[in-house]
Amino acid sequence: MSETDFDVVVVGAGPAGSCAALSLAKAGHSVLLVERGPFAGSKNMYGGVVYPRILDALIPNWWEEAPIQRWVTRRQTMVMTPTQSLTIDYRSDTWAKPPYNGATAYRPDFDFWLAGKAEAAGAQLICSTTVTGLLRDGHGRTIGVRTDRPDGDITARLVIACDGVNSFLAKEAGLYRRDVDANSFTLGVKETIALPTDVINERFGVRGREGADIEIIGCTGDVNGGGFIYTNLDTIGVGVVLKLSKLGAQRQRPEEIIANLKAHPSVAPLVEGGEVKEYSAHLIPEAGYDMIPTLAGDGLLIAGDAAGLCLAAGIWLEGVNFALASGMYAGDAAADALRSDDTSAAGLAGYRQRLERTFVLKDHAKLRHIPHLVLGDRLQQEYPQMVANIVERMFRVDNPRPKPGIRRILTQERRHAGIRWRDLAKDTWTAMRGFG
Amino acid sequence: MNRWPEISFEDRMSTVHFDVHERAHITVDGDSCHGCTTKACVVACPANLFVPTSDGGIVFNYEQCFECGTCYMVCNVEGAITWTYPDGGHGVVFRRT
């Protein structure tokens, strides 16, 4: 085999790319990590919470050094209508202590730190360099990347594309499914809003490094999606995710939908007086298992958002952990393939096997119908109102009338909301199959 | 419950840092847009970079682009929007996201 510049080129220094590079560097391989932004993390934004448990395998005691804003100790799920809201609020002391659970962090900090770990392990990081395409031999096998630097071709025995949700490399290699379109993505928009630390602590009922994470359904009007609010040390993140196919059709702009969320009587007291410090936007692959592309080609692996690995399952909204894990397993599988000197798609099959054995594809397979349910019209446009009305009637004291039975309220409110038994049963079955 | 945002769109976008490159990384084929009735890009682009013209076309500005990809995803005219990443080191730079 002819000499290559590196054993592996990893494209994109987000969580997937940095974990892939870290894993390979630890195994003693020469790795180049290429990032198009001026620093790792500079192109990245997210819905605010990272669950870094999987990092235990790569960076023991990562929590002692990771640039975390707050540890999530309050996890709330809110069902909202324009005038009502119902919140399930869970709080845990355990999550405020090592080894922790979820954390808020700024991606430009977190991703920068993680890329530094890959560098420290021996990977070479080059920033401000956009990969413009794959280098391929006459058989279509990937043998490196083309960059926008002068003389910017870089050869490698293997390329790992962690180039994000728009992965031009996976598209170029023909790994994407044909049926992936605007229905498979949501647009996330977010305001980072400055508030004094003690005001945040008071409003969200947290102290010290404890933080809150609120996920909301029913707050995005006619555009199917969801909302979120979470706490950093001296800012809060407030945003919405919006189904792309609905966004274009409903003639409502993203920033208007955030403004409506902020004006909601349950949200306004949390955000008022804050100053918008940064506005941001990013696409999210939300179709789950049904959009996951072919994960390996000859000389090529894809991981993270590039592989569609975001979990949008309503009560579970995760992406960074799937990126960390898929990147790490891609690195491990690549190391195996390099050792046996077979980096063909067949030689790289260990990657998919690793994902199938672990939460990465197990969660996605089990929850494959949930993203469609959560972003579907009934759950978005009909159920929140029905649920809020049921709760309103349960807690309303209508004396001198006696209390209505709950069964009667449920029956009446279902009818009132115009939801057919058949659909309700179908959705309940889908939910039970996925979550059960 | 419609309410306009409390800050102007210009102020909102002024919170975002961009290192603009002279090469436009997105090009829009205005001719294709004339026949387009939905013009989803105009509503969906979070940076509001697509502006309809009185003659049914689109005026487009790449400079304050989040590089999210929404425009080409929602576009229903094949080839109307050509999208690449900006040159290395350029474009949007997030800080507290």
Side-chain angles (χ1 to χ4, degrees), chain A residues 249-261:
Chain A
Q250 292 298 336
R251 319 310 297 173
Q252 204 176 10
R253 287 204 40 86
E255 71 277 3
E256 291 175 33
I257 300 174
I258 292 194
N260 288 340
L261 172 62

Side-chain angles (χ1 to χ4, degrees), chain B residues 65-85:
Chain B
C65 174
F66 285 118
E67 302 155 33
C68 67
T70 296
C71 55
Y72 81 87
M73 287 278 187
V74 298
C75 181
N76 54 16
V77 184
E78 185 75 30
I81 297 175
T82 311
W83 211 87
T84 62
Y85 285 131

Side-chain angles (χ1 to χ4, degrees), chain A residues 164-167 170-171 174-178 180 293-294 302 305-308:
Chain A
V165 60
N166 286 299
S167 184
K171 281 175 206 163
L175 299 180
Y176 273 8
R177 298 170 55 107
R178 281 177 204 283
V180 167
T294 306
I302 52 174
D305 276 9

Side-chain angles (χ1 to χ4, degrees), chain A residues 36 42-44 128 130 148 166 168 171 187 190-192 251-253 260 262 277-280 283, chain B residues 1-2 6 12 15-16 38 42-43 45 67-68 72 83 85-86 88-90 92 94-97:
Chain A
R36 68 186 182 91
S42 56
K43 299 289 182 184
N44 300 344
S128 297
T130 300
D148 65 351
N166 286 299
F168 290 114
K171 281 175 206 163
L187 168 67
K190 172 168 88 169
E191 292 179 2
T192 304
R251 319 310 297 173
Q252 204 176 10
R253 287 204 40 86
N260 288 340
K262 286 168 70 183
K277 285 292 184 187
E278 192 165 353
Y279 186 52
S280 53
L283 279 192
Chain B
M1 85 173 179
N2 266 347
E6 59 282 67
R12 174 183 295 279
T15 65
V16 193
T38 50
V42 174
V43 187
C45 169
E67 302 155 33
C68 67
Y72 81 87
W83 211 87
Y85 285 131
H90 292 275
V92 70
F94 289 133
R95 291 168 299 191
R96 293 203 281 178
T97 52

Side-chain angles (χ1 to χ4, degrees), chain B residues 23-83:
Chain B
R23 179 184 76 90
H25 63 285
I26 299 176
T27 52
V28 179
D29 172 18
D31 289 343
S32 314
C33 304
H34 283 278
C36 174
T37 50
T38 50
K39 290 190 170 57
C41 56
V42 174
V43 187
C45 169
N48 207 5
L49 297 177
F50 295 79
V51 180
T53 57
S54 54
D55 66 345
I58 290 280
V59 186
F60 167 75
N61 163 16
Y62 73 95
E63 291 173 4
Q64 292 193 312
C65 174
F66 285 118
E67 302 155 33
C68 67
T70 296
C71 55
Y72 81 87
M73 287 278 187
V74 298
C75 181
N76 54 16
V77 184
E78 185 75 30
I81 297 175
T82 311
W83 211 87

Side-chain angles (χ1 to χ4, degrees), chain A residues 370-392:
Chain A
I370 300 295
H372 311 293
L373 174 71
V374 170
L375 284 176
D377 284 341
R378 278 194 296 279
L379 206 120
Q380 288 281 327
Q381 307 295 342
E382 296 173 13
Y383 293 170
Q385 186 66 66
M386 177 179 71
V387 169
N389 286 352
I390 288 168
V391 176
E392 172 144 341

